[in-house]
Amino acid sequence: MAHTKRSNIAPGMTVDIVLKKDQRTGTLTRGTVKRLLTKSPVHHHGIKVELTDGQVGRVKNIIQ
């Protein structure tokens, strides 16, 4: 899955993330990646990122 590999995500990409408060509902938030917060090359729940608007969550979809 592309969203679980750090190498597939870069600043400037548009992604859908799930915020910590939305983990139970699975509500997605769309935004542009400002920086990657996960240091490991792979994370099974998705790579944690900060969006340009300051929101933090795990990537669930990469928007082409």
Side-chain angles (χ1 to χ4, degrees):
M1 294 166 110
H3 69 277
T4 62
K5 290 185 69 177
R6 191 175 196 275
S7 61
N8 292 339
I9 301 168
M13 294 179 78
T14 301
V15 295
D16 287 335
I17 66 168
V18 63
L19 303 172
K20 183 77 169 178
K21 69 180 180 83
D22 294 330
Q23 283 180 344
R24 287 184 182 267
T25 63
T27 303
L28 297 176
T29 303
R30 185 163 291 183
T32 304
V33 176
K34 179 178 179 183
R35 65 188 180 119
L36 283 70
L37 302 177
T38 299
K39 298 296 184 208
S40 64
V42 177
H43 194 285
H44 60 285
H45 288 302
I47 301 300
K48 188 180 280 187
V49 298
E50 178 184 359
L51 301 180
T52 53
D53 62 4
Q55 297 185 93
V56 173
R58 294 201 182 271
V59 176
K60 294 299 175 187
N61 297 312
I62 299 171
I63 309 304
Q64 298 300 333

